[in-house]
Amino acid sequence: MKFYISTKGIRRVTISNEDGKGSAKTTTTGTGAGSGRRISARTVFPVVVVLGIVLPFLFVRIAILMLESAAVCSSLECAGLRFFNGVDTSLELRDELIRALVEANDGDVNEGAGSFNELVKEMTSNQDLKAFAFKTKSVLSQLERKVQLARQQESVFWHLASHGVPKSLHCLCLKLAEEYAVNAMARSRLPPPEFVSRLVDPTFHHIALLTDNVLAASVVVTSAVETSINPEKLVFHIVTDKKTYAPMHAWFATNSVKSAVVEVKGLHQYDWSEEVNTGVKEMLETNHLIWKQYYNKEKDLRYTQEHSTYLEALRPSSVSLMNQLRMYTPELFPDLRKIVFLDDDVVIQHDISSLWELDLNGKVIGSVFKSWCGDSCCPGSKYMNYLNFSHPQVSSKLHADHCAWLYGMNIFDLEAWRRTNITETYRHWLKLNLESGTTMWNPGVLPPALIAFEGQVHPINSSMLVSELGYRHQSEEISREKLEAAPIIHFSGPAKPWLEIGFPEVRSLWSRRVNISNKFIRRCRITG
């Protein structure tokens, strides 16, 4: 039997046996002659190409519309309308998201996801905008708390590092004290007898330092001598405390300064009157009580600029004997008429002999006001940054917007000072601040000095001094040209150049003045 189907269409079915005895024939009706035509490859290929291009586009478009509609459309009908009429609901989605964020901002924060990955995981399974807003707020609040805590810890660690004594500096003092004890040369008289007359001669240029830091004092003296046009006219008066006197004396006795004269004197060697002794003791006690009262105040644990200021005010230098005694400069140098007062964290880069020729016009102190900031006050250098002008006694005395003059490099007309009551005024305001519960200013030497010297400050050209090199944000803003052009640079701030936290970009300006060839410097591993 044979079974046959025509390949041109089912038009005919033929069944027959092999011996030809019988047959069956079925014929189907066609649609006409065209129904039997074969579809050619030329027709199929363009259709396939077009569908291959169009179908992926349609799939992507539908998928995007469905995703965008998920938050504002709950049915396929909505998505279908968007597909056919092209209506954009992005504005509706934005408004809905804004409402959810506003509601979350006003609501309480619940425990949220521990990380961004967890947040994404939760939100991919829940597309509720309100839940998304609350979860996001919770995550951001947790991150903000972590950042605040990290900043607070950084400021505390910075505070601790800033007032610590490096091992190398402690080693230097011990080695020099030992040298003072065993070496007669280290105990030799300073200055030598032939130069003693220069200590009170007004024709010489007198520089005063109150410090207990041997290394810092050596840098100040070395830099001043090396940059001076007439170093033989310089006379250095170094005043230190009893514990530092031996190493300080040993250093300058064994490291003679070319041409210049150096005097090292300990506070225990002064024979002050009972009145001066009583005044100094009262001033130190009052400052200690202010510091203690301020220390015991409860402070917000969140990191703020106030928190940073609070920690800086707690630095030991705020109540340091060396810092406080500058208010008794006329008593420290009773035979001098005029003196340039330098902090131990300065470096002299160019000759400063012009300072002694400056006419203060009857004022007591000459000082720089604006440092490196041109015609405007440097950041944080206005009276309002040091004093509390909500206190009526402060606001009635000073103007909040005035620039504060700077410590670090000052010229004192000691004869004019002796004709005033500046020292007594300073002590009086210290007592007022203590009685007010330390509400007038934070602990420190400068705030009460701004009041005591009010009306007695003569401005010095700002180009003479670049300060605040111990603060990162300030030091980064100062151009290298201004740094190198300034006769004096001051590392005011916590990051002193002899500390590990000192900034490398400016520390080299100080360290290159360190005498690294000295045997004690090498033994204590002090690097330049």
Side-chain angles (χ1 to χ4, degrees), residues 190 192 221-222 225 250-260 262 515:
L190 286 177
V221 173
T222 300
V225 171
W251 174 269
F252 288 102
T254 57
N255 294 274
S256 59
V257 179
K258 181 181 179 180
S259 303
V262 177
N515 183 9

Side-chain angles (χ1 to χ4, degrees), residues 311-331:
L311 287 177
E312 186 172 345
L314 295 180
R315 294 174 61 196
S317 60
S318 298
V319 289
S320 167
L321 175 62
M322 294 291 100
N323 275 335
Q324 298 295 328
L325 279 177
R326 73 177 69 201
M327 296 307 301
Y328 281 85
T329 303
E331 286 72 25

Side-chain angles (χ1 to χ4, degrees), residues 113-130:
S115 66
F116 181 76
N117 290 335
E118 292 182 14
L119 175 64
V120 173
K121 185 177 180 180
E122 290 184 16
M123 296 318 302
T124 52
S125 60
N126 184 358
Q127 297 181 0
D128 184 8
L129 285 179
K130 182 177 179 181

Side-chain angles (χ1 to χ4, degrees), residues 57 62 94-95 138 181 262 271 303 312 327 389 427 438 470 497:
F57 171 76
I62 293 171
R94 185 193 65 183
D95 294 340
S138 179
V262 177
D271 186 19
Y303 176 83
E312 186 172 345
M327 296 307 301
F389 278 85
R427 291 167 51 198
T438 68

Side-chain angles (χ1 to χ4, degrees), residues 494-510:
K496 301 302 182 186
W498 54 82
L499 298 176
E500 290 185 3
I501 61 174
F503 307 127
E505 56 270 21
V506 294
R507 187 178 187 271
S508 60
L509 299 174
W510 178 88

Side-chain angles (χ1 to χ4, degrees), residues 388-400 429 451 454:
N388 177 20
F389 278 85
S390 63
H391 197 288
Q393 289 181 284
V394 174
S395 57
S396 63
K397 182 73 175 178
L398 302 170
H399 296 283
W429 279 90
I451 302 177
E454 178 65 12

Side-chain angles (χ1 to χ4, degrees), residues 384-411:
M384 66 175 66
N385 301 120
Y386 296 98
L387 300 160
N388 177 20
F389 278 85
S390 63
H391 197 288
Q393 289 181 284
V394 174
S395 57
S396 63
K397 182 73 175 178
L398 302 170
H399 296 283
D401 290 330
H402 284 185
C403 285
W405 50 271
L406 305 177
Y407 270 142
M409 182 276 292
N410 302 108
I411 307 171

